[in-house]
């Protein structure tokens, strides 16, 4: 048992390190292939860095490395990460930012396809996968990711309006300087990126579970103090009502993170295979919701 715990203690951080490294490599490959081939502008701080690069190259004949731009503009988000989100999360994110920057400057630019639509779609997909990999591994690619997580976890609201405004300014500026065709294709790129993130990363999405069962107390205890240690539920309570046959039934009401729905349902089924469960997507949530803090 002791050897197994030591092994898990080693493999956990090792796997996380390999995962964030893989995410950084995906970011860099995208910035060296699809993005330059299509003249696209990614969302967030990487888009700002690329826009500054191209402005300096066109008007001042300056070839500024991506690293020299991307790391400095991430200093404020990194500070936010250290102070409000978590030190380990921020350190891994800083590693992703640095490795992405270095690889972007060292990997030769290459063209996979010259079709602008394919570039926009698959570039967005690849970027979205890179974001998902790093987030699932407990890190981020920097920039707006820090601000979005900070707003979601500390302020109880999303940063969608801020992100939309930032991306709109990037595309508007790029369109005015370099032409709107590439800026419009960048919208496709950013849309595909967003859809991949929404599809695979569900930490900030919520589901409501309505559970009708004869074993309400056992299920309640399992959710509240069992394997979940109270970390996933916002509220769990009983509601009594009369079923069609006139017998009294009780219903459990719980809100959980969307990525944990299947796990919670499996636990419920283990306790009561006959339980009736209705899972509903929660659009808006007000009140206390316990989130496991990032380290």
């Amino acid at each position: 048992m002791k050897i197994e715990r030591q092994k898990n203690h080693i493999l956990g951080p090792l796997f996380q390190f390999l995962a964030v490294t893989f995410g950084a490599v995906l970011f860099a490959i995208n910035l060296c292939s699809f993005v330059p081939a299509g003249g696209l502008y990614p969302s967030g701080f990487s888009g700002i860095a690329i826009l500054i690069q191209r402005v300096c190259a066109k008007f001042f004949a300056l070839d500024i490395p991506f690293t020299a731009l991307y790391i400095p503009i991430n200093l404020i988000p990194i500070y936010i990460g250290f102070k409000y989100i978590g030190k380990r999360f921020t350190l891994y994110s800083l590693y992703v930012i640095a490795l992405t920057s270095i690889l972007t400057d060292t990997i030769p630019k290459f063209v996979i396809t010259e079709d602008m639509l394919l570039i926009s779609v698959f570039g967005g997909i690849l970027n979205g996968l890179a974001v998902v990999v790093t987030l699932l591994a407990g890190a981020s690619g920097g920039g707006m990711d820090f601000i979005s997580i900070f707003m979601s976890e500390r302020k109880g609201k999303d940063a969608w309006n801020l992100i939309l405004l930032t991306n709109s300014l990037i595309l508007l500026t790029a369109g005015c300087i370099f032409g709107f065709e590439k800026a419009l294709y960048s919208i496709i790129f950013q849309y595909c990126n967003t859809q991949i993130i929404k599809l695979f990363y569900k930490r900030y999405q919520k589901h409501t579970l309505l559970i009708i069962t004869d074993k309400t107390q056992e299920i309640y205890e399992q959710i509240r103090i069992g394997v979940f240690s109270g970390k996933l539920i916002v509220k769990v309570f009983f509601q009594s009502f009369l079923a069609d046959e006139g017998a009294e039934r009780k219903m459990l009401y719980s809100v959980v993170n969307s990525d944990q729905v299947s796990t919670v349902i499996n636990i419920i089924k283990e306790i009561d295979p006959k339980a009736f469960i209705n899972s509903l997507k929660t659009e808006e949530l007000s009140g206390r919701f316990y989130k496991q803090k990032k380290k």
Side-chain angles (χ1 to χ4, degrees):
M1 182 67 70
K2 187 175 181 181
I3 295 176
E4 185 177 345
R5 288 180 180 176
Q6 290 176 344
K7 188 181 296 184
N8 291 335
H9 182 73
I10 295 172
L11 290 179
L14 178 61
F15 178 79
Q16 186 177 16
F17 176 78
L18 293 175
V20 296
T21 300
F22 179 63
V25 171
L26 290 181
F27 276 123
I29 290 175
N30 195 32
L31 293 173
C32 292
S33 57
F34 290 112
V35 171
L40 302 176
Y41 300 92
S43 60
F45 283 26
S46 59
I48 295 174
I50 289 173
L51 179 59
I52 295 174
Q53 266 189 319
R54 293 174 183 172
V55 168
C56 291
K58 180 175 181 178
F59 295 103
F60 305 104
L62 293 175
D63 186 15
I64 302 179
F66 183 78
T67 304
L69 295 170
Y70 193 54
I71 291 181
I73 63 177
N74 271 289
L75 292 179
I76 293 178
I78 288 171
Y79 170 78
I80 292 174
F82 269 115
K83 189 170 179 62
Y84 299 105
I85 300 177
K87 292 182 179 179
R88 182 187 298 177
F89 176 86
T90 306
L91 285 173
Y92 274 115
S93 301
L94 182 58
Y95 168 71
V96 172
I97 293 168
L99 183 59
T100 298
S101 302
I102 294 170
L103 291 177
T104 301
D105 286 330
T106 55
I107 296 175
K109 303 296 185 288
F110 59 96
V111 177
I112 296 176
T113 176
E114 295 181 353
D115 186 293
M116 281 300 298
L117 184 58
L118 291 177
I119 289 172
S120 303
V121 171
F122 286 95
I125 291 174
L126 182 60
N127 197 79
L129 289 174
V131 173
V132 170
V133 168
T134 52
L135 286 175
L136 290 177
S140 82
M144 297 305 297
D145 288 349
F146 277 109
I147 298 173
S148 178
I149 293 171
F150 170 74
M151 297 290 283
S152 297
E153 296 199 347
R154 304 290 299 192
K155 300 299 182 181
K157 61 179 72 173
D158 61 55
W160 170 246
N161 290 333
L162 179 60
I163 294 173
L164 180 62
L165 176 61
T166 302
N167 293 339
S168 299
L169 290 175
I170 294 172
L171 297 179
L172 181 62
T173 305
C176 292
I177 298 174
F178 299 103
F180 281 95
E181 182 179 358
K182 302 296 177 64
L184 293 174
Y185 273 114
S186 295
I187 295 177
I188 301 176
F189 175 96
Q190 294 183 13
Y191 175 80
C192 294
N193 171 69
T194 302
Q195 294 307 304
I196 291 296
I197 296 172
K198 289 175 63 178
L199 180 62
F200 292 106
Y201 188 70
K202 300 181 179 181
R203 176 180 172 85
Y204 299 110
Q205 299 176 30
K206 303 291 182 289
H207 263 70
T208 297
L209 296 180
L210 303 177
I211 310 154
I212 299 175
T213 175
D214 292 328
K215 299 181 179 180
T216 50
Q217 190 63 41
E218 294 93 326
I219 293 175
Y220 170 75
E221 292 296 333
Q222 186 76 331
I223 295 176
R224 186 176 67 87
I225 60 174
V227 295
F228 304 112
S229 302
K231 294 179 179 178
L232 298 175
I233 59 173
V234 56
K235 200 153 202 172
V236 179
F237 59 84
F238 303 127
Q239 177 180 343
S240 297
F241 63 95
L242 292 179
D244 291 338
E245 63 273 16
E248 184 181 82
R249 293 288 184 266
K250 288 186 177 180
M251 181 174 69
L252 274 158
Y253 174 98
S254 179
V255 180
V256 300
N257 292 327
S258 294
D259 58 349
Q260 298 289 344
V261 170
S262 60
T263 304
V264 175
I265 290 177
N266 288 336
I267 293 297
I268 294 171
K269 288 296 185 181
E270 286 182 6
I271 299 173
D272 183 8
K274 297 181 179 180
F276 178 84
I277 306 167
N278 186 14
S279 177
L280 306 172
K281 185 176 180 181
T282 303
E283 296 293 339
E284 185 174 348
L285 188 64
S286 177
R288 295 174 59 192
F289 187 90
Y290 187 97
K291 297 186 183 71
Q292 190 170 7
K293 296 180 180 179
K294 296 181 182 295
K295 298 179 180 180

